[in-house]
Amino acid sequence: MRIVTTAIADVLLLEPRVFPDRRGFFFESFNRARWEELTGLQNDFVQDNHSRSCRGVLRGLHYQVQQPQGKLVRAVGGEIFDVAVDLRRSSPTFGQWVGAVLSDENKRQLWVPEGFAHGFMVLSETADLLYKTTAYYAPQHERTIRWDDPDLGIDWPRDVQPLLSEKDAAGTAFRDAECYP
């Protein structure tokens, strides 16, 4: 596995070592010892989630004000544009975002640390995401920031029409969001 740094140092893009042959391929999607060696992080992943969405679905920008979740995200089918937004007021990158294309073809994973909002847009006909979290889902603590907030200026793919849930369409403006210290 190889770590690719992003514009926000705490958000990491991981590229696994893939072993293809005529039968298909094999790769380790997670190895705790290797993770700790490469990242220096000792995360205790407590929950795995699987999401399937159709083209244009935009989920997010989600975060939890208590029990913040770190997320290790990968697309096991299809392709997404994945985004992490820094919500840590004490961070030099507060209010900045990083985006990456994750797909079943490139097998990349995005590490979204605690203290970040997370969202994604599906670029393929459907996409299946698997992601590990460092804290349990706590709906009473979940918050949503508008995906198209002008203060964030996220450069979402323009050739896909966003399809939003009611919750995501009613997200809070970034300037009014509950952020982390």
Side-chain angles (χ1 to χ4, degrees):
M1 182 171 298
R2 181 172 93 91
I3 303 290
V4 178
T5 57
T6 68
I8 300 177
D10 295 331
V11 179
L12 304 173
L13 192 59
L14 293 82
E15 295 180 339
R17 187 167 172 214
V18 181
F19 300 93
D21 66 21
R22 63 181 173 80
R23 303 167 297 159
F25 66 84
F26 171 85
F27 72 94
E28 281 187 345
S29 60
F30 183 76
N31 176 311
R32 185 178 192 140
R34 188 79 172 125
W35 169 260
E36 290 176 2
E37 174 189 333
L38 289 173
T39 67
L41 301 171
Q42 295 184 332
N43 299 101
D44 185 17
F45 292 106
V46 297
Q47 183 174 316
D48 281 0
N49 300 321
H50 186 156
S51 153
R52 175 175 288 163
S53 304
C54 62
R55 181 175 173 79
V57 166
L58 194 150
R59 297 185 189 268
L61 302 161
H62 301 151
Y63 65 105
Q64 293 183 176
V65 292
Q66 293 180 34
Q67 292 177 229
Q69 294 179 307
K71 297 177 180 178
L72 183 58
V73 183
R74 67 186 177 114
V76 296
E79 182 176 70
I80 65 165
F81 181 67
D82 206 32
V83 172
V85 179
D86 192 346
L87 299 182
R88 304 167 300 170
R89 290 188 187 282
S90 61
S91 170
T93 56
F94 174 69
Q96 294 180 28
W97 64 274
V98 164
V101 173
L102 308 180
S103 72
D104 58 352
E105 292 286 319
N106 69 25
K107 296 169 185 45
R108 288 176 153 184
Q109 299 179 57
L110 191 68
W111 165 242
V112 181
E114 294 90 347
F116 283 71
H118 174 251
F120 66 88
M121 175 186 266
V122 177
L123 306 177
S124 51
E125 288 308 306
T126 61
D128 280 273
L129 270 67
L130 296 179
Y131 58 100
K132 298 179 165 309
T133 66
T134 59
Y136 295 107
Y137 176 61
Q140 70 276 24
H141 302 305
E142 184 179 43
R143 302 293 186 269
T144 302
I145 296 173
R146 284 194 57 87
W147 67 279
D148 60 350
D149 187 282
D151 291 333
L152 295 176
I154 297 171
D155 189 17
W156 295 99
R158 290 179 173 78
D159 60 336
V160 179
Q161 181 65 39
L163 178 59
L164 304 165
S165 69
E166 287 181 26
K167 174 181 82 173
D168 291 347
T172 302
F174 175 66
R175 70 172 62 108
D176 299 325
E178 294 176 68
C179 294
Y180 304 100

mmCIF file with all atom_site columns, all heavy atoms in Angstrom, residues 63-70 114-115 135-143 178-181:
data_model
loop_
_atom_site.group_PDB
_atom_site.id
_atom_site.type_symbol
_atom_site.label_atom_id
_atom_site.label_alt_id
_atom_site.label_comp_id
_atom_site.label_asym_id
_atom_site.label_entity_id
_atom_site.label_seq_id
_atom_site.pdbx_PDB_ins_code
_atom_site.Cartn_x
_atom_site.Cartn_y
_atom_site.Cartn_z
_atom_site.occupancy
_atom_site.B_iso_or_equiv
_atom_site.pdbx_formal_charge
_atom_site.auth_seq_id
_atom_site.auth_comp_id
_atom_site.auth_asym_id
_atom_site.auth_atom_id
_atom_site.pdbx_PDB_model_num
ATOM 1   N N   . TYR A 1 63  ? -21.450 14.911 9.387  1.00 0.00 ? 63  TYR A N   1
ATOM 2   C CA  . TYR A 1 63  ? -20.493 14.768 10.486 1.00 0.00 ? 63  TYR A CA  1
ATOM 3   C C   . TYR A 1 63  ? -21.287 14.641 11.772 1.00 0.00 ? 63  TYR A C   1
ATOM 4   O O   . TYR A 1 63  ? -22.497 14.884 11.791 1.00 0.00 ? 63  TYR A O   1
ATOM 5   C CB  . TYR A 1 63  ? -19.525 15.957 10.541 1.00 0.00 ? 63  TYR A CB  1
ATOM 6   C CG  . TYR A 1 63  ? -20.159 17.294 10.867 1.00 0.00 ? 63  TYR A CG  1
ATOM 7   C CD1 . TYR A 1 63  ? -20.006 17.862 12.131 1.00 0.00 ? 63  TYR A CD1 1
ATOM 8   C CD2 . TYR A 1 63  ? -20.912 17.985 9.930  1.00 0.00 ? 63  TYR A CD2 1
ATOM 9   C CE1 . TYR A 1 63  ? -20.576 19.095 12.435 1.00 0.00 ? 63  TYR A CE1 1
ATOM 10  C CE2 . TYR A 1 63  ? -21.489 19.207 10.229 1.00 0.00 ? 63  TYR A CE2 1
ATOM 11  C CZ  . TYR A 1 63  ? -21.324 19.763 11.477 1.00 0.00 ? 63  TYR A CZ  1
ATOM 12  O OH  . TYR A 1 63  ? -21.898 20.968 11.785 1.00 0.00 ? 63  TYR A OH  1
ATOM 13  N N   . GLN A 1 64  ? -20.625 14.239 12.832 1.00 0.00 ? 64  GLN A N   1
ATOM 14  C CA  . GLN A 1 64  ? -21.248 14.111 14.141 1.00 0.00 ? 64  GLN A CA  1
ATOM 15  C C   . GLN A 1 64  ? -20.559 15.060 15.113 1.00 0.00 ? 64  GLN A C   1
ATOM 16  O O   . GLN A 1 64  ? -19.332 15.033 15.233 1.00 0.00 ? 64  GLN A O   1
ATOM 17  C CB  . GLN A 1 64  ? -21.150 12.662 14.658 1.00 0.00 ? 64  GLN A CB  1
ATOM 18  C CG  . GLN A 1 64  ? -21.969 11.705 13.840 1.00 0.00 ? 64  GLN A CG  1
ATOM 19  C CD  . GLN A 1 64  ? -21.967 10.273 14.329 1.00 0.00 ? 64  GLN A CD  1
ATOM 20  O OE1 . GLN A 1 64  ? -22.659 9.464  13.760 1.00 0.00 ? 64  GLN A OE1 1
ATOM 21  N NE2 . GLN A 1 64  ? -21.216 9.917  15.359 1.00 0.00 ? 64  GLN A NE2 1
ATOM 22  N N   . VAL A 1 65  ? -21.356 15.898 15.798 1.00 0.00 ? 65  VAL A N   1
ATOM 23  C CA  . VAL A 1 65  ? -20.780 16.876 16.724 1.00 0.00 ? 65  VAL A CA  1
ATOM 24  C C   . VAL A 1 65  ? -20.259 16.219 17.996 1.00 0.00 ? 65  VAL A C   1
ATOM 25  O O   . VAL A 1 65  ? -19.375 16.756 18.657 1.00 0.00 ? 65  VAL A O   1
ATOM 26  C CB  . VAL A 1 65  ? -21.765 18.011 17.072 1.00 0.00 ? 65  VAL A CB  1
ATOM 27  C CG1 . VAL A 1 65  ? -22.017 18.876 15.847 1.00 0.00 ? 65  VAL A CG1 1
ATOM 28  C CG2 . VAL A 1 65  ? -23.061 17.480 17.643 1.00 0.00 ? 65  VAL A CG2 1
ATOM 29  N N   . GLN A 1 66  ? -20.815 15.083 18.368 1.00 0.00 ? 66  GLN A N   1
ATOM 30  C CA  . GLN A 1 66  ? -20.271 14.241 19.425 1.00 0.00 ? 66  GLN A CA  1
ATOM 31  C C   . GLN A 1 66  ? -20.053 12.879 18.796 1.00 0.00 ? 66  GLN A C   1
ATOM 32  O O   . GLN A 1 66  ? -20.707 12.520 17.829 1.00 0.00 ? 66  GLN A O   1
ATOM 33  C CB  . GLN A 1 66  ? -21.229 14.137 20.612 1.00 0.00 ? 66  GLN A CB  1
ATOM 34  C CG  . GLN A 1 66  ? -21.402 15.448 21.354 1.00 0.00 ? 66  GLN A CG  1
ATOM 35  C CD  . GLN A 1 66  ? -22.349 15.309 22.528 1.00 0.00 ? 66  GLN A CD  1
ATOM 36  O OE1 . GLN A 1 66  ? -22.412 14.288 23.187 1.00 0.00 ? 66  GLN A OE1 1
ATOM 37  N NE2 . GLN A 1 66  ? -23.102 16.370 22.780 1.00 0.00 ? 66  GLN A NE2 1
ATOM 38  N N   . GLN A 1 67  ? -19.113 12.111 19.360 1.00 0.00 ? 67  GLN A N   1
ATOM 39  C CA  . GLN A 1 67  ? -18.715 10.842 18.757 1.00 0.00 ? 67  GLN A CA  1
ATOM 40  C C   . GLN A 1 67  ? -18.289 11.037 17.297 1.00 0.00 ? 67  GLN A C   1
ATOM 41  O O   . GLN A 1 67  ? -18.784 10.364 16.399 1.00 0.00 ? 67  GLN A O   1
ATOM 42  C CB  . GLN A 1 67  ? -19.859 9.820  18.809 1.00 0.00 ? 67  GLN A CB  1
ATOM 43  C CG  . GLN A 1 67  ? -20.218 9.344  20.169 1.00 0.00 ? 67  GLN A CG  1
ATOM 44  C CD  . GLN A 1 67  ? -21.403 8.388  20.150 1.00 0.00 ? 67  GLN A CD  1
ATOM 45  O OE1 . GLN A 1 67  ? -22.325 8.580  20.918 1.00 0.00 ? 67  GLN A OE1 1
ATOM 46  N NE2 . GLN A 1 67  ? -21.368 7.391  19.304 1.00 0.00 ? 67  GLN A NE2 1
ATOM 47  N N   . PRO A 1 68  ? -17.380 11.998 17.042 1.00 0.00 ? 68  PRO A N   1
ATOM 48  C CA  . PRO A 1 68  ? -16.945 12.210 15.654 1.00 0.00 ? 68  PRO A CA  1
ATOM 49  C C   . PRO A 1 68  ? -16.362 10.926 15.071 1.00 0.00 ? 68  PRO A C   1
ATOM 50  O O   . PRO A 1 68  ? -15.709 10.161 15.764 1.00 0.00 ? 68  PRO A O   1
ATOM 51  C CB  . PRO A 1 68  ? -15.899 13.309 15.754 1.00 0.00 ? 68  PRO A CB  1
ATOM 52  C CG  . PRO A 1 68  ? -15.495 13.358 17.180 1.00 0.00 ? 68  PRO A CG  1
ATOM 53  C CD  . PRO A 1 68  ? -16.625 12.817 17.988 1.00 0.00 ? 68  PRO A CD  1
ATOM 54  N N   . GLN A 1 69  ? -16.653 10.720 13.800 1.00 0.00 ? 69  GLN A N   1
ATOM 55  C CA  . GLN A 1 69  ? -16.222 9.497  13.121 1.00 0.00 ? 69  GLN A CA  1
ATOM 56  C C   . GLN A 1 69  ? -15.080 9.783  12.155 1.00 0.00 ? 69  GLN A C   1
ATOM 57  O O   . GLN A 1 69  ? -15.183 10.669 11.316 1.00 0.00 ? 69  GLN A O   1
ATOM 58  C CB  . GLN A 1 69  ? -17.374 8.899  12.311 1.00 0.00 ? 69  GLN A CB  1
ATOM 59  C CG  . GLN A 1 69  ? -18.531 8.398  13.115 1.00 0.00 ? 69  GLN A CG  1
ATOM 60  C CD  . GLN A 1 69  ? -19.626 7.857  12.212 1.00 0.00 ? 69  GLN A CD  1
ATOM 61  O OE1 . GLN A 1 69  ? -20.083 8.525  11.297 1.00 0.00 ? 69  GLN A OE1 1
ATOM 62  N NE2 . GLN A 1 69  ? -20.039 6.635  12.471 1.00 0.00 ? 69  GLN A NE2 1
ATOM 63  N N   . GLY A 1 70  ? -14.011 9.002  12.263 1.00 0.00 ? 70  GLY A N   1
ATOM 64  C CA  . GLY A 1 70  ? -13.045 8.910  11.189 1.00 0.00 ? 70  GLY A CA  1
ATOM 65  C C   . GLY A 1 70  ? -13.579 7.862  10.235 1.00 0.00 ? 70  GLY A C   1
ATOM 66  O O   . GLY A 1 70  ? -14.202 6.884  10.660 1.00 0.00 ? 70  GLY A O   1
ATOM 67  N N   . GLU A 1 114 ? -11.446 12.188 12.029 1.00 0.00 ? 114 GLU A N   1
ATOM 68  C CA  . GLU A 1 114 ? -12.390 12.836 12.924 1.00 0.00 ? 114 GLU A CA  1
ATOM 69  C C   . GLU A 1 114 ? -12.195 14.345 12.783 1.00 0.00 ? 114 GLU A C   1
ATOM 70  O O   . GLU A 1 114 ? -11.086 14.818 12.574 1.00 0.00 ? 114 GLU A O   1
ATOM 71  C CB  . GLU A 1 114 ? -12.148 12.435 14.381 1.00 0.00 ? 114 GLU A CB  1
ATOM 72  C CG  . GLU A 1 114 ? -12.424 10.971 14.689 1.00 0.00 ? 114 GLU A CG  1
ATOM 73  C CD  . GLU A 1 114 ? -11.214 10.059 14.497 1.00 0.00 ? 114 GLU A CD  1
ATOM 74  O OE1 . GLU A 1 114 ? -10.204 10.502 13.892 1.00 0.00 ? 114 GLU A OE1 1
ATOM 75  O OE2 . GLU A 1 114 ? -11.282 8.903  14.927 1.00 0.00 ? 114 GLU A OE2 1
ATOM 76  N N   . GLY A 1 115 ? -13.291 15.096 12.892 1.00 0.00 ? 115 GLY A N   1
ATOM 77  C CA  . GLY A 1 115 ? -13.194 16.541 12.769 1.00 0.00 ? 115 GLY A CA  1
ATOM 78  C C   . GLY A 1 115 ? -13.465 17.052 11.365 1.00 0.00 ? 115 GLY A C   1
ATOM 79  O O   . GLY A 1 115 ? -13.329 18.241 11.095 1.00 0.00 ? 115 GLY A O   1
ATOM 80  N N   . ALA A 1 135 ? -16.088 5.513  15.164 1.00 0.00 ? 135 ALA A N   1
ATOM 81  C CA  . ALA A 1 135 ? -17.113 5.690  16.211 1.00 0.00 ? 135 ALA A CA  1
ATOM 82  C C   . ALA A 1 135 ? -18.436 5.202  15.638 1.00 0.00 ? 135 ALA A C   1
ATOM 83  O O   . ALA A 1 135 ? -18.624 5.162  14.422 1.00 0.00 ? 135 ALA A O   1
ATOM 84  C CB  . ALA A 1 135 ? -17.228 7.154  16.631 1.00 0.00 ? 135 ALA A CB  1
ATOM 85  N N   . TYR A 1 136 ? -19.330 4.834  16.533 1.00 0.00 ? 136 TYR A N   1
ATOM 86  C CA  . TYR A 1 136 ? -20.636 4.352  16.104 1.00 0.00 ? 136 TYR A CA  1
ATOM 87  C C   . TYR A 1 136 ? -21.486 5.501  15.580 1.00 0.00 ? 136 TYR A C   1
ATOM 88  O O   . TYR A 1 136 ? -21.331 6.649  16.002 1.00 0.00 ? 136 TYR A O   1
ATOM 89  C CB  . TYR A 1 136 ? -21.359 3.655  17.260 1.00 0.00 ? 136 TYR A CB  1
ATOM 90  C CG  . TYR A 1 136 ? -20.651 2.399  17.708 1.00 0.00 ? 136 TYR A CG  1
ATOM 91  C CD1 . TYR A 1 136 ? -19.949 2.366  18.903 1.00 0.00 ? 136 TYR A CD1 1
ATOM 92  C CD2 . TYR A 1 136 ? -20.672 1.256  16.916 1.00 0.00 ? 136 TYR A CD2 1
ATOM 93  C CE1 . TYR A 1 136 ? -19.286 1.217  19.309 1.00 0.00 ? 136 TYR A CE1 1
ATOM 94  C CE2 . TYR A 1 136 ? -20.011 0.105  17.316 1.00 0.00 ? 136 TYR A CE2 1
ATOM 95  C CZ  . TYR A 1 136 ? -19.320 0.091  18.513 1.00 0.00 ? 136 TYR A CZ  1
ATOM 96  O OH  . TYR A 1 136 ? -18.664 -1.029 18.904 1.00 0.00 ? 136 TYR A OH  1
ATOM 97  N N   . TYR A 1 137 ? -22.388 5.171  14.676 1.00 0.00 ? 137 TYR A N   1
ATOM 98  C CA  . TYR A 1 137 ? -23.335 6.150  14.164 1.00 0.00 ? 137 TYR A CA  1
ATOM 99  C C   . TYR A 1 137 ? -24.237 6.611  15.309 1.00 0.00 ? 137 TYR A C   1
ATOM 100 O O   . TYR A 1 137 ? -24.780 5.804  16.054 1.00 0.00 ? 137 TYR A O   1
ATOM 101 C CB  . TYR A 1 137 ? -24.174 5.540  13.040 1.00 0.00 ? 137 TYR A CB  1
ATOM 102 C CG  . TYR A 1 137 ? -25.252 6.450  12.525 1.00 0.00 ? 137 TYR A CG  1
ATOM 103 C CD1 . TYR A 1 137 ? -24.937 7.683  11.959 1.00 0.00 ? 137 TYR A CD1 1
ATOM 104 C CD2 . TYR A 1 137 ? -26.589 6.093  12.608 1.00 0.00 ? 137 TYR A CD2 1
ATOM 105 C CE1 . TYR A 1 137 ? -25.921 8.527  11.482 1.00 0.00 ? 137 TYR A CE1 1
ATOM 106 C CE2 . TYR A 1 137 ? -27.587 6.930  12.132 1.00 0.00 ? 137 TYR A CE2 1
ATOM 107 C CZ  . TYR A 1 137 ? -27.248 8.143  11.570 1.00 0.00 ? 137 TYR A CZ  1
ATOM 108 O OH  . TYR A 1 137 ? -28.232 8.975  11.107 1.00 0.00 ? 137 TYR A OH  1
ATOM 109 N N   . ALA A 1 138 ? -24.365 7.911  15.455 1.00 0.00 ? 138 ALA A N   1
ATOM 110 C CA  . ALA A 1 138 ? -25.181 8.509  16.518 1.00 0.00 ? 138 ALA A CA  1
ATOM 111 C C   . ALA A 1 138 ? -26.086 9.556  15.876 1.00 0.00 ? 138 ALA A C   1
ATOM 112 O O   . ALA A 1 138 ? -25.701 10.723 15.748 1.00 0.00 ? 138 ALA A O   1
ATOM 113 C CB  . ALA A 1 138 ? -24.290 9.133  17.591 1.00 0.00 ? 138 ALA A CB  1
ATOM 114 N N   . PRO A 1 139 ? -27.273 9.156  15.413 1.00 0.00 ? 139 PRO A N   1
ATOM 115 C CA  . PRO A 1 139 ? -28.134 10.086 14.668 1.00 0.00 ? 139 PRO A CA  1
ATOM 116 C C   . PRO A 1 139 ? -28.471 11.366 15.427 1.00 0.00 ? 139 PRO A C   1
ATOM 117 O O   . PRO A 1 139 ? -28.645 12.422 14.816 1.00 0.00 ? 139 PRO A O   1
ATOM 118 C CB  . PRO A 1 139 ? -29.385 9.263  14.368 1.00 0.00 ? 139 PRO A CB  1
ATOM 119 C CG  . PRO A 1 139 ? -29.331 8.072  15.246 1.00 0.00 ? 139 PRO A CG  1
ATOM 120 C CD  . PRO A 1 139 ? -27.896 7.851  15.608 1.00 0.00 ? 139 PRO A CD  1
ATOM 121 N N   . GLN A 1 140 ? -28.527 11.297 16.744 1.00 0.00 ? 140 GLN A N   1
ATOM 122 C CA  . GLN A 1 140 ? -28.838 12.492 17.528 1.00 0.00 ? 140 GLN A CA  1
ATOM 123 C C   . GLN A 1 140 ? -27.712 13.531 17.461 1.00 0.00 ? 140 GLN A C   1
ATOM 124 O O   . GLN A 1 140 ? -27.938 14.712 17.756 1.00 0.00 ? 140 GLN A O   1
ATOM 125 C CB  . GLN A 1 140 ? -29.160 12.130 18.991 1.00 0.00 ? 140 GLN A CB  1
ATOM 126 C CG  . GLN A 1 140 ? -27.976 11.648 19.802 1.00 0.00 ? 140 GLN A CG  1
ATOM 127 C CD  . GLN A 1 140 ? -27.648 10.156 19.664 1.00 0.00 ? 140 GLN A CD  1
ATOM 128 O OE1 . GLN A 1 140 ? -27.978 9.512  18.671 1.00 0.00 ? 140 GLN A OE1 1
ATOM 129 N NE2 . GLN A 1 140 ? -26.985 9.614  20.679 1.00 0.00 ? 140 GLN A NE2 1
ATOM 130 N N   . HIS A 1 141 ? -26.521 13.119 17.069 1.00 0.00 ? 141 HIS A N   1
ATOM 131 C CA  . HIS A 1 141 ? -25.379 14.030 16.975 1.00 0.00 ? 141 HIS A CA  1
ATOM 132 C C   . HIS A 1 141 ? -24.999 14.362 15.529 1.00 0.00 ? 141 HIS A C   1
ATOM 133 O O   . HIS A 1 141 ? -24.060 15.124 15.301 1.00 0.00 ? 141 HIS A O   1
ATOM 134 C CB  . HIS A 1 141 ? -24.158 13.433 17.679 1.00 0.00 ? 141 HIS A CB  1
ATOM 135 C CG  . HIS A 1 141 ? -24.384 13.130 19.122 1.00 0.00 ? 141 HIS A CG  1
ATOM 136 N ND1 . HIS A 1 141 ? -24.832 14.073 20.031 1.00 0.00 ? 141 HIS A ND1 1
ATOM 137 C CD2 . HIS A 1 141 ? -24.246 11.977 19.826 1.00 0.00 ? 141 HIS A CD2 1
ATOM 138 C CE1 . HIS A 1 141 ? -24.952 13.519 21.228 1.00 0.00 ? 141 HIS A CE1 1
ATOM 139 N NE2 . HIS A 1 141 ? -24.602 12.251 21.126 1.00 0.00 ? 141 HIS A NE2 1
ATOM 140 N N   . GLU A 1 142 ? -25.717 13.783 14.571 1.00 0.00 ? 142 GLU A N   1
ATOM 141 C CA  . GLU A 1 142 ? -25.373 14.016 13.167 1.00 0.00 ? 142 GLU A CA  1
ATOM 142 C C   . GLU A 1 142 ? -25.833 15.399 12.719 1.00 0.00 ? 142 GLU A C   1
ATOM 143 O O   . GLU A 1 142 ? -26.903 15.866 13.088 1.00 0.00 ? 142 GLU A O   1
ATOM 144 C CB  . GLU A 1 142 ? -26.012 12.956 12.262 1.00 0.00 ? 142 GLU A CB  1
ATOM 145 C CG  . GLU A 1 142 ? -25.576 13.120 10.813 1.00 0.00 ? 142 GLU A CG  1
ATOM 146 C CD  . GLU A 1 142 ? -26.152 12.079 9.884  1.00 0.00 ? 142 GLU A CD  1
ATOM 147 O OE1 . GLU A 1 142 ? -27.351 11.769 9.992  1.00 0.00 ? 142 GLU A OE1 1
ATOM 148 O OE2 . GLU A 1 142 ? -25.395 11.588 9.048  1.00 0.00 ? 142 GLU A OE2 1
ATOM 149 N N   . ARG A 1 143 ? -24.987 16.022 11.927 1.00 0.00 ? 143 ARG A N   1
ATOM 150 C CA  . ARG A 1 143 ? -25.294 17.317 11.334 1.00 0.00 ? 143 ARG A CA  1
ATOM 151 C C   . ARG A 1 143 ? -24.970 17.248 9.844  1.00 0.00 ? 143 ARG A C   1
ATOM 152 O O   . ARG A 1 143 ? -24.165 16.422 9.398  1.00 0.00 ? 143 ARG A O   1
ATOM 153 C CB  . ARG A 1 143 ? -24.462 18.440 11.969 1.00 0.00 ? 143 ARG A CB  1
ATOM 154 C CG  . ARG A 1 143 ? -24.633 18.584 13.483 1.00 0.00 ? 143 ARG A CG  1
ATOM 155 C CD  . ARG A 1 143 ? -26.024 19.051 13.875 1.00 0.00 ? 143 ARG A CD  1
ATOM 156 N NE  . ARG A 1 143 ? -26.128 19.307 15.290 1.00 0.00 ? 143 ARG A NE  1
ATOM 157 C CZ  . ARG A 1 143 ? -26.500 18.397 16.215 1.00 0.00 ? 143 ARG A CZ  1
ATOM 158 N NH1 . ARG A 1 143 ? -26.784 17.163 15.855 1.00 0.00 ? 143 ARG A NH1 1
ATOM 159 N NH2 . ARG A 1 143 ? -26.578 18.736 17.485 1.00 0.00 ? 143 ARG A NH2 1
ATOM 160 N N   . GLU A 1 178 ? -22.141 23.818 13.430 1.00 0.00 ? 178 GLU A N   1
ATOM 161 C CA  . GLU A 1 178 ? -21.450 23.508 14.676 1.00 0.00 ? 178 GLU A CA  1
ATOM 162 C C   . GLU A 1 178 ? -20.140 22.835 14.312 1.00 0.00 ? 178 GLU A C   1
ATOM 163 O O   . GLU A 1 178 ? -20.151 21.743 13.753 1.00 0.00 ? 178 GLU A O   1
ATOM 164 C CB  . GLU A 1 178 ? -22.292 22.540 15.532 1.00 0.00 ? 178 GLU A CB  1
ATOM 165 C CG  . GLU A 1 178 ? -23.579 23.096 16.047 1.00 0.00 ? 178 GLU A CG  1
ATOM 166 C CD  . GLU A 1 178 ? -24.360 22.040 16.795 1.00 0.00 ? 178 GLU A CD  1
ATOM 167 O OE1 . GLU A 1 178 ? -23.929 21.604 17.871 1.00 0.00 ? 178 GLU A OE1 1
ATOM 168 O OE2 . GLU A 1 178 ? -25.417 21.627 16.259 1.00 0.00 ? 178 GLU A OE2 1
ATOM 169 N N   . CYS A 1 179 ? -19.043 23.479 14.614 1.00 0.00 ? 179 CYS A N   1
ATOM 170 C CA  . CYS A 1 179 ? -17.734 22.926 14.249 1.00 0.00 ? 179 CYS A CA  1
ATOM 171 C C   . CYS A 1 179 ? -17.006 22.463 15.500 1.00 0.00 ? 179 CYS A C   1
ATOM 172 O O   . CYS A 1 179 ? -17.479 22.625 16.614 1.00 0.00 ? 179 CYS A O   1
ATOM 173 C CB  . CYS A 1 179 ? -16.921 23.961 13.483 1.00 0.00 ? 179 CYS A CB  1
ATOM 174 S SG  . CYS A 1 179 ? -17.640 24.359 11.872 1.00 0.00 ? 179 CYS A SG  1
ATOM 175 N N   . TYR A 1 180 ? -15.860 21.873 15.289 1.00 0.00 ? 180 TYR A N   1
ATOM 176 C CA  . TYR A 1 180 ? -15.028 21.371 16.379 1.00 0.00 ? 180 TYR A CA  1
ATOM 177 C C   . TYR A 1 180 ? -14.071 22.461 16.853 1.00 0.00 ? 180 TYR A C   1
ATOM 178 O O   . TYR A 1 180 ? -13.762 23.365 16.089 1.00 0.00 ? 180 TYR A O   1
ATOM 179 C CB  . TYR A 1 180 ? -14.248 20.134 15.912 1.00 0.00 ? 180 TYR A CB  1
ATOM 180 C CG  . TYR A 1 180 ? -15.137 19.041 15.381 1.00 0.00 ? 180 TYR A CG  1
ATOM 181 C CD1 . TYR A 1 180 ? -15.308 18.868 14.009 1.00 0.00 ? 180 TYR A CD1 1
ATOM 182 C CD2 . TYR A 1 180 ? -15.799 18.186 16.249 1.00 0.00 ? 180 TYR A CD2 1
ATOM 183 C CE1 . TYR A 1 180 ? -16.130 17.862 13.521 1.00 0.00 ? 180 TYR A CE1 1
ATOM 184 C CE2 . TYR A 1 180 ? -16.628 17.183 15.770 1.00 0.00 ? 180 TYR A CE2 1
ATOM 185 C CZ  . TYR A 1 180 ? -16.795 17.015 14.402 1.00 0.00 ? 180 TYR A CZ  1
ATOM 186 O OH  . TYR A 1 180 ? -17.610 16.042 13.925 1.00 0.00 ? 180 TYR A OH  1
ATOM 187 N N   . PRO A 1 181 ? -13.602 22.360 18.078 1.00 0.00 ? 181 PRO A N   1
ATOM 188 C CA  . PRO A 1 181 ? -12.629 23.371 18.573 1.00 0.00 ? 181 PRO A CA  1
ATOM 189 C C   . PRO A 1 181 ? -11.358 23.400 17.744 1.00 0.00 ? 181 PRO A C   1
ATOM 190 O O   . PRO A 1 181 ? -11.026 22.535 17.037 1.00 0.00 ? 181 PRO A O   1
ATOM 191 C CB  . PRO A 1 181 ? -12.328 22.938 19.999 1.00 0.00 ? 181 PRO A CB  1
ATOM 192 C CG  . PRO A 1 181 ? -13.233 21.823 20.331 1.00 0.00 ? 181 PRO A CG  1
ATOM 193 C CD  . PRO A 1 181 ? -13.899 21.369 19.069 1.00 0.00 ? 181 PRO A CD  1
#
